[in-house]
Amino acid sequence: MVTQIMSDTDHDDAGTTAARGADGDVLRVTGLTVEYVTDGDPVRACADVTFTLRRGEILGVAGESGSGKSTLITALTRLQRPPAVTTAGSIVFQPRDGGAAVDLVTASPRALRALRWTSLSIVLQSAMDALNPVMRLGAQFADALRTHDRSLGNDAAWARAAELLATVGISGDRARSYPHELSGGMRQRASIALALACGPELVVMDEPTTAVDVVMQRQILAQVLRLRRTLGFAVVFVTHDLSLLLELADRIAIMYAGRIVELGTASELYDDPRHPYTRGLRDSFPPLRAPLRRLTGIPGTPPDLRRPPSGCPFHPRCAARFEGCDTHLPELVTKGGHAVACRLHDPTQRPQPAPGTSTGGAR
Amino acid sequence: MTTTEAPAPVRTAPGGPPAAVRAVRRWGFLLRRLGFYAAAAAAAIVLNFLLPRLMPGDPSSAIVEELQRVSGQQVPPETLESIRAIFGDPDQNLGEQFLAYLGQLARFDLGVSVVNFPVPVSELVLQALPWTLLLVGTTTVLAFVLGTGLGVIAGWKAGSRLDSILTPLTAFLSSVPYFWVALLALWVFGFVLGWFPLSGGYDANLAEGFNLPFLASVMHYGALPAATIVFSAFGGWLLGMRNMTVTTVREDYVLLAQAKGLSRGRVILRYAARNAMLPSFTGFAMALGGVIGGALLTETVFSYPGIGYLLFESLNKRDYPMMQGVFLIVTLATLLANLLADSLYVVLDPRIREQG
Ligand SMILES: Nc1ncnc2c1ncn2[C@@H]1O[C@H](COP(=O)(O)OP(=O)(O)OP(=O)(O)O)[C@@H](O)[C@H]1O
Ligand SMILES: [Mg+2]
């Protein structure tokens, strides 16, 4: 096991990862459902989530606060804590060396531990709290490096930590610093460097740039893109900031009340948002390159997941709702790679007379 | 020691003060603390000097009279002088007295015990000290290690079967007054069952020294008082550590440690327990400072020949020089332990260094 991991890392260092290209999928998530089991009714914070992640792809996940983004992220990495329980679905991880696919939901703790960091790593929502305040930065790199490469000496591990820090623009001697001695942006970048320490195939990032200013945000995103190009890892990038994803992500999934309501390429979502919620999200941010447009928010508030609305969870806020939206839960239907869960786009459900355009009659 | 750290190379990395500045701040912090404790110790010494002099009448003469009454003989002049240095001489001016008093302290001369005349107080203290260090020292450490260890286990799996039994049970047990625990243990295991001796620290019929029978008797005599101390002290550590662990385990850095694929033991020790222990640690260092004072109740109930028992005896028999000496030593030991706790905390928690 260990030697396999090592050869993987060597492979990375040789810079050939990118050459492996985007053959196949690295992650296939099917019907993933996560509930918070509390005294009352269980809160379904992720419901029937299905998507695939291609090798080296950046998948953005956007949604309002409370839509279940962090729940999805911790479920994907099997890091969820009680009362969160994965009640259904599978998360199939396909290692790049052609090894056997692993369903992370049913994998043993031991098997999971072997995958962690060498294949699957994470950048947490708040880099402020994600680093141990009483350990030097280098030590927090070194223990991960040495756990997955038993032959690595302590000095070599610290040297590697300094190298990794340098890749995100932090001077190597900062490895001897404690987290509180770094600025917020440095901590955030250090967390990203840490996530890349063992050459993972998949990095999940939970709002890695919310705590930093816009300039630093741009810098960090540019670094992620650059590193992705050289190292070839795939990313699931979670944020509530759709405009940021439009620049960064290859494809974007829109989450609402624990469900993916639309999934498509960044340009598809920007130019042709199909779900009324996606359109609302898009129109609540200033456009990046296109001419200015009136900004509109989405009326109403996200649903209380303890008592989700019947039918389509968005229908109470939806301007385009029609008869049956409050009783029928629309399925995520894919057409030409662009998936949407809205009855406006389901020919069998569409109201009569049908709206003239594919974007519906909302505007 | 401090000089090895001072000439650290000046690094000018952005985003934080250079290393040299940080080093200066860290040592500045320690020096300030040191100054504070030095002042506190000086205050204790001055107070020790002033208190008997503020008492009405002439305590020195009273003590000398008492000595003559107890021993039935004339008090030798050098004893007289040492008692006057500590308890005051109405005929001498205060400045001279203070100098004499300081000189005497420097020689560790704390006067003569009234009850055990003419044995010097310092000798009695030095005799009792090893017993107290042995009994209270080891049990304090043991209770801390046991309580902290179990607390981590209970806190790591909060809500588990172990936690839901151990934690309430411990809370109940540690609310039982120590006095009861000690007396009950003495009655059941010493008196009814006769497994352990009722009083003392060793078998008086054996020759004192590093021989096996004597050491075995020390263990035998010490077992019961030790058990009662551990029994009533470990619960506090357990509860404190359990609650801190529960909070710490929710921290993101523990989650990240798990995400890194570190072994469970490493996550618990280096991330959860290491950080959860910081508050307990201060308490532990203070407890170590309290060790010198002995466990007054334990040593009294079990007539254990330590400092606590010495203090109890001197209180009982109004042996003022003895009390005075023990109080001074206990105060200084407590200050020293606090200083140690502060300094070690600085080593354990890098965040403290910057604030000062
Ligand atoms: N420990 C918990 N117990 C019960 N319900 C929870 C718990 N944690 C989260 N939830 C519920 O799950 C839902 C999703 O939470 P989650 O943290 O995944 O949202 P999010 O999209 O990451 O939000 P944010 O953008 O604020 O980080 C929330 O509506 C919340 O009510
Ligand atoms: Mg979140």
Side-chain angles (χ1 to χ4, degrees):
Chain A
M1 194 59 115
V2 173
T3 50
Q4 191 186 5
I5 289 159
M6 276 169 51
S7 67
D8 261 13
T9 324
D10 292 343
H11 213 37
D12 256 356
D13 289 341
T16 52
T17 321
R20 277 203 291 280
D23 52 318
D25 300 329
V26 65
L27 201 68
R28 273 193 307 280
V29 180
T30 320
L32 184 66
T33 302
V34 183
E35 290 177 350
Y36 288 97
V37 182
T38 49
D39 293 339
D41 291 333
V43 177
R44 189 168 286 191
C46 265
D48 200 18
V49 169
T50 300
F51 67 87
T52 56
L53 184 67
R54 303 193 189 111
R55 215 159 275 286
E57 179 186 36
I58 298 185
L59 175 72
V61 178
E64 284 167 296
S65 187
S67 56
K69 304 183 298 294
S70 297
T71 308
L72 173 65
I73 285 287
T74 49
L76 285 182
T77 45
R78 304 292 296 145
L79 285 171
Q80 65 207 12
R81 292 162 157 170
V85 181
T86 300
T87 50
S90 64
I91 305 166
V92 178
F93 175 79
Q94 175 66 56
R96 69 185 141 206
D97 48 22
V102 193
D103 181 358
L104 302 182
V105 175
T106 52
S108 68
R110 198 192 163 83
L112 271 177
R113 214 161 32 236
L115 284 176
R116 290 197 187 286
W117 233 243
T118 54
S119 300
L120 179 63
S121 67
I122 186 168
V123 179
L124 288 176
Q125 184 156 359
S126 62
M128 303 296 153
D129 314 322
L131 295 168
N132 188 341
V134 301
M135 273 172 87
R136 291 183 198 276
L137 209 50
Q140 305 191 43
F141 280 73
D143 64 1
L145 288 164
R146 296 186 67 195
T147 297
H148 298 293
D149 181 356
R150 292 285 157 83
S151 66
L152 195 68
N154 197 42
D155 290 346
W158 275 76
R160 180 92 184 95
E163 274 171 43
L164 284 160
L165 286 173
T167 63
V168 293
I170 298 175
S171 118
D173 59 6
R174 278 295 178 164
R176 295 204 57 76
S177 297
Y178 288 98
H180 73 272
E181 295 168 342
L182 305 175
S183 69
M186 286 170 104
R187 264 183 272 191
Q188 197 62 65
R189 283 179 289 153
S191 293
I192 292 172
L194 179 57
L196 302 179
C198 298
E201 291 166 67
L202 169 60
V203 186
V204 298
M205 302 188 179
D206 190 356
E207 313 215 26
T209 58
T210 31
V212 296
D213 62 60
V214 183
V215 178
M216 180 55 69
Q217 193 174 19
R218 298 287 136 188
Q219 259 183 40
I220 290 176
L221 294 184
Q223 266 161 357
V224 168
L225 281 171
R226 182 175 51 76
L227 290 165
R228 197 264 306 244
R229 218 161 34 241
T230 52
L231 302 174
F233 51 86
V235 180
V236 176
F237 191 103
V238 160
T239 175
H240 58 259
D241 185 350
L242 183 61
S243 63
L244 192 150
L245 287 185
L246 290 170
E247 280 186 276
L248 176 80
D250 299 312
R251 286 189 303 150
I252 298 174
I254 305 291
M255 268 190 104
Y256 188 79
R259 294 174 180 276
I260 293 185
V261 295
E262 185 162 0
L263 201 162
T265 62
S267 57
E268 278 169 349
L269 254 77
Y270 187 71
D271 298 331
D272 178 23
R274 294 192 179 161
H275 199 284
Y277 177 64
T278 311
R279 194 174 320 113
L281 266 190
R282 183 197 65 175
D283 294 346
S284 28
F285 292 103
L288 295 161
R289 295 186 192 87
L292 274 176
R293 179 181 66 214
R294 225 164 66 90
L295 294 187
T296 48
I298 305 168
T301 51
D304 181 354
L305 291 184
R306 282 169 301 177
R307 264 165 273 110
S310 61
C312 170
F314 187 59
H315 86 262
R317 300 169 75 186
C318 184
R321 69 164 174 264
F322 55 91
E323 205 197 323
C325 280
D326 53 350
T327 50
H328 294 276
L329 179 68
E331 275 182 40
L332 191 68
V333 180
T334 311
K335 206 162 63 186
H338 188 168
V340 64
C342 179
R343 296 171 64 245
L344 283 170
H345 304 278
D346 187 338
T348 64
Q349 308 264 330
R350 213 180 288 168
Q352 299 302 325
T357 65
S358 64
T359 50
R363 284 161 90 197
Chain B
M1 250 241 281
T2 52
T3 47
T4 53
E5 193 73 14
V10 180
R11 293 192 215 110
T12 46
V21 173
R22 291 203 298 271
V24 166
R25 275 196 206 156
R26 179 186 319 178
W27 294 110
F29 169 79
L30 271 187
L31 281 179
R32 269 199 305 282
R33 295 266 98 186
L34 211 62
F36 170 77
Y37 283 109
I45 289 172
V46 171
L47 211 63
N48 195 51
F49 169 77
L50 284 181
L51 274 179
R53 285 163 180 78
L54 293 175
M55 282 197 264
D58 178 4
S60 315
S61 308
I63 288 169
V64 171
E65 269 168 37
E66 177 76 6
L67 276 183
Q68 276 165 348
R69 195 181 61 74
V70 170
S71 62
Q73 52 185 291
Q74 201 65 24
V75 174
E78 62 276 15
T79 309
L80 200 71
E81 200 177 308
S82 115
I83 287 175
R84 287 227 164 107
I86 293 173
F87 289 93
D89 181 352
D91 305 333
Q92 235 179 341
N93 99 10
L94 221 54
E96 278 170 36
Q97 285 190 46
F98 188 61
L99 284 181
Y101 162 82
L102 285 184
Q104 213 170 328
L105 279 192
R107 275 176 276 120
F108 195 51
D109 180 354
L110 300 170
V112 183
S113 164
V114 173
V115 178
N116 299 294
F117 182 79
V119 187
V121 167
S122 55
E123 199 180 309
L124 288 170
V125 167
L126 285 181
Q127 256 172 30
L129 202 57
W131 293 102
T132 286
L133 288 181
L134 178 75
L135 176 70
V136 192
T138 48
T139 51
T140 302
V141 173
L142 211 65
F144 176 75
V145 171
L146 189 73
T148 303
L150 287 174
V152 170
I153 295 171
W156 179 257
K157 285 250 167 256
S160 67
R161 177 111 54 96
L162 177 83
D163 177 45
S164 56
I165 294 173
L166 194 62
T167 305
L169 187 72
T170 311
F172 169 71
L173 289 182
S174 54
S175 67
V176 180
Y178 174 75
F179 197 64
W180 280 83
V181 175
L183 283 180
L184 194 71
L186 192 64
W187 185 67
V188 173
F189 298 105
F191 189 72
V192 177
L193 297 173
W195 292 352
F196 296 100
L198 290 173
S199 71
Y202 54 93
D203 189 342
N205 300 324
L206 294 168
E208 285 185 43
F210 275 95
N211 57 70
L212 206 58
F214 179 72
L215 291 181
S217 90
V218 168
M219 297 287 280
H220 190 210
Y221 276 75
L224 202 54
T228 60
I229 298 181
V230 172
F231 181 87
S232 18
F234 92 98
W237 299 123
L238 189 152
L239 295 176
M241 192 60 189
R242 183 222 171 242
N243 292 343
M244 268 316 288
T245 305
V246 169
T247 335
T248 309
V249 159
R250 287 196 212 112
E251 295 282 349
D252 276 354
Y253 54 77
V254 177
L255 191 71
L256 196 76
Q258 288 171 315
K260 288 198 286 192
L262 306 184
S263 68
R264 215 159 74 124
R266 196 176 175 85
V267 174
I268 295 178
L269 286 181
R270 289 278 287 171
Y271 288 80
R274 164 73 169 79
N275 292 54
M277 220 177 76
L278 290 174
S280 288
F281 182 80
T282 319
F284 176 59
M286 308 278 250
L288 280 185
V291 164
I292 308 281
L296 191 64
L297 276 177
T298 318
E299 294 184 5
T300 309
V301 170
F302 295 93
S303 312
Y304 199 82
I307 301 265
Y309 190 60
L310 199 63
L311 186 60
F312 172 72
E313 289 278 82
S314 59
L315 286 170
N316 243 355
K317 298 180 178 154
R318 311 265 158 106
D319 190 342
Y320 286 110
M322 196 69 235
M323 285 185 236
Q324 185 97 342
V326 171
F327 279 137
L328 186 65
I329 285 180
V330 169
T331 311
L332 294 182
T334 309
L335 282 175
L336 195 70
N338 278 341
L339 173 65
L340 208 70
D342 268 1
S343 323
L344 278 177
Y345 204 92
V346 167
V347 174
L348 287 181
D349 191 345
R351 290 165 295 183
I352 300 295
R353 291 171 205 163
E354 313 283 305
Q355 306 160 5

